[in-house]
Amino acid sequence: MKNIKTILSGMLLMGCLTAAAQEPASKTVYDFQPHWYVQLQAGGQHTIGEVDFADLLSPNAQVAVGYNFTPVVGARLNVNAWQSKGGLKSYGLNKNWKWNYVAPQVDLMFNLSNLFAGYNPTRVFNLSLFGGLGANIAFSNKEAQDAKAEFIAARSAYDATQGQANQAYAHEPLEYLWDGTKTRLVGQLGLAADFRLSDAVSLGLELSANTLSDHYNSKNGGNTDWYYNALVGVKINLGQTYTSRVVEAPKPQVIVKEVVKEVPVQQPQPQVQQQLTQTATNATVDVIRREIFFNINTFTIKKADEQKVKDIVDFLNQHPAAKVTVEGYADKGTGNANVNYRLAGKRAASVVTMLKKMGISADRIVSVNKGDKEQPFPINEKNRVSICVAQ
């Protein structure tokens, strides 16, 4: 019999070890935190035109302030500025000119990496799509005015030499020439690639296409004007961008069946039975539980629930040795873990404050903040609660 017990114990131990070996590992879960960021970028611009590609390159810079609402969606206000160029080959001349501009814009940002691969704040590479609208404020167009004067002079010289106007040069050069300061609506669409250096800092590459009025480069092209920006720079996140928590894997169940042998039990004598009954009666512990519910995103006790706190106070006054435990909760379906933890703590604190005001000493009160890690009720709205148990 002893050997059989030894074998069974060994089999049970091996079963427990096997279950432990197969137990899945815990994992780290990241909770996104909305946050601000700033960007500083510099690069180049190419303005669409008829002259050589290199003749239409110009310097470009951008500063931006943005806010990420969710892991996927954000918005930013950026100011893009410096220089644009134009060019024209006509009347035997090849002329280029430049002017300055400032373009404040508002963009919507969509993180494609988080959208398709899931949120991961430690990912090294993130690709985002953005688009927006703004105003292009252009000025200092003196070079275009000088170029037009040269084109007109060249045309007059050609006509005088040939004795008649050449139909190929019959059009007006720089027909949309502008002076002073001009403001035009501009639309933008682009891609941004960010390379993470730390939680706060990332390096980025940004490519964008911008379209605006045909009058932008002073030429009548019969279609909208375009310029393309290529920018590199740094993005700095302000404040905490995420929190992390470890989720433990569920423990495997080990079921042990016990064989119980029935043994007749003699009924106690009447006197002994009376003593047992009296002992059980004396061991009875009085307990009172009350649930104080709160509105969404609040920690103020409602008038209707003040009587519940009064019930706890009456019980404690009747039982001088009793203590009360106040547990604060928040519903998991609203907000995030950090916000809910603070809110649950404030809900518990509201009940504690009222208990103290009603004469209950602090050494009889235990306050526990459960946040949203535990949900005592299956209905989401009911988990905005403080549960009080006094005994």
Side-chain angles (χ1 to χ4, degrees), residues 166-187:
N166 188 317
Q167 292 302 314
Y169 298 149
H171 63 274
E172 180 70 17
L174 276 63
E175 184 177 348
Y176 291 155
L177 178 67
W178 52 270
D179 189 14
T181 300
K182 298 295 181 182
T183 301
R184 302 176 178 90
L185 181 68
V186 60

Side-chain angles (χ1 to χ4, degrees), residues 86-239:
L88 178 64
K89 294 180 179 180
S90 189
Y91 308 108
L93 298 178
N94 183 355
K95 299 296 297 181
N96 305 316
W97 59 93
K98 60 182 181 291
W99 63 99
N100 300 113
Y101 76 93
V102 175
Q105 293 171 284
V106 176
D107 293 325
L108 283 177
M109 313 289 295
F110 301 93
N111 189 311
L112 301 180
S113 298
N114 286 338
L115 177 63
F116 294 108
Y119 175 61
N120 181 3
T122 64
R123 184 185 291 117
V124 175
F125 174 79
N126 282 280
L127 181 66
S128 298
L129 173 71
F130 63 88
L133 293 172
N136 182 294
I137 306 167
F139 53 94
S140 299
N141 201 31
K142 179 67 167 57
E143 289 188 11
Q145 298 173 31
D146 294 340
K148 180 171 183 176
E150 291 187 42
F151 281 127
I152 292 175
R155 181 179 63 180
S156 298
Y158 181 89
D159 293 345
T161 302
Q162 300 297 321
Q164 59 180 355
N166 188 317
Q167 292 302 314
Y169 298 149
H171 63 274
E172 180 70 17
L174 276 63
E175 184 177 348
Y176 291 155
L177 178 67
W178 52 270
D179 189 14
T181 300
K182 298 295 181 182
T183 301
R184 302 176 178 90
L185 181 68
V186 60
Q188 176 173 242
L189 184 67
L191 290 171
D194 290 308
F195 299 87
R196 178 181 178 272
L197 300 182
S198 68
D199 288 345
V201 181
S202 61
L203 295 179
L205 169 64
E206 182 174 310
L207 302 174
S208 66
N210 300 262
T211 183
L212 65 173
S213 165
D214 188 27
H215 291 235
Y216 185 59
N217 62 7
S218 300
K219 298 186 301 181
N220 182 358
N223 49 39
T224 57
D225 288 334
W226 290 82
Y227 59 81
Y228 299 94
N229 292 334
L231 300 164
V232 294
V234 62
K235 178 192 289 185
I236 302 173
N237 294 319
L238 306 178

Side-chain angles (χ1 to χ4, degrees), residues 261-313:
K261 183 178 179 181
E262 294 185 2
V263 178
V265 179
Q266 291 183 344
Q267 294 294 329
Q269 296 298 321
Q271 184 176 1
V272 176
Q273 180 66 41
Q274 183 177 2
Q275 291 176 351
L276 292 175
T277 303
Q278 184 64 36
T279 301
T281 302
N282 293 339
T284 302
V285 177
D286 289 334
V287 178
I288 183 174
R289 172 185 168 124
R290 292 293 184 267
E291 296 152 356
I292 293 90
F293 295 98
F294 297 84
N295 292 328
I296 186 171
N297 202 30
T298 66
F299 52 89
T300 302
I301 299 175
K302 295 181 283 190
K303 279 287 185 183
D305 282 347
E306 289 182 359
Q307 181 57 46
K308 296 179 181 179
V309 182
K310 182 65 167 58
D311 293 343
I312 299 292
V313 172

Side-chain angles (χ1 to χ4, degrees), residues 211-386:
T211 183
L212 65 173
S213 165
D214 188 27
H215 291 235
Y216 185 59
N217 62 7
S218 300
K219 298 186 301 181
N220 182 358
N223 49 39
T224 57
D225 288 334
W226 290 82
Y227 59 81
Y228 299 94
N229 292 334
L231 300 164
V232 294
V234 62
K235 178 192 289 185
I236 302 173
N237 294 319
L238 306 178
Q240 191 174 31
T241 61
Y242 70 94
T243 57
S244 61
R245 50 192 169 91
V246 177
V247 177
E248 298 293 340
K251 302 294 183 183
Q253 282 188 330
V254 178
I255 301 174
V256 179
K257 293 185 178 179
E258 295 183 357
V259 178
V260 180
K261 183 178 179 181
E262 294 185 2
V263 178
V265 179
Q266 291 183 344
Q267 294 294 329
Q269 296 298 321
Q271 184 176 1
V272 176
Q273 180 66 41
Q274 183 177 2
Q275 291 176 351
L276 292 175
T277 303
Q278 184 64 36
T279 301
T281 302
N282 293 339
T284 302
V285 177
D286 289 334
V287 178
I288 183 174
R289 172 185 168 124
R290 292 293 184 267
E291 296 152 356
I292 293 90
F293 295 98
F294 297 84
N295 292 328
I296 186 171
N297 202 30
T298 66
F299 52 89
T300 302
I301 299 175
K302 295 181 283 190
K303 279 287 185 183
D305 282 347
E306 289 182 359
Q307 181 57 46
K308 296 179 181 179
V309 182
K310 182 65 167 58
D311 293 343
I312 299 292
V313 172
D314 292 342
F315 178 89
L316 293 173
N317 288 334
Q318 294 168 11
H319 301 78
K323 292 187 177 183
V324 60
T325 299
V326 182
E327 297 179 345
Y329 295 85
D331 69 287
K332 203 166 188 175
T334 307
N336 58 59
N338 271 0
V339 172
N340 289 340
Y341 186 82
R342 293 193 295 270
L343 188 57
K346 291 179 180 179
R347 286 169 176 168
S350 294
V351 177
V352 170
T353 299
M354 182 168 286
L355 288 170
K356 290 179 179 178
K357 286 182 178 179
M358 292 183 176
I360 304 302
S361 61
D363 59 354
R364 300 181 69 189
I365 304 171
V366 178
S367 179
V368 181
N369 186 348
K370 295 287 189 176
D372 62 7
K373 292 184 178 179
E374 295 181 23
Q375 299 288 272
F377 298 101
I379 299 175
N380 185 63
E381 289 75 11
K382 283 187 171 292
N383 293 311
R384 305 162 188 160
V385 66
S386 284

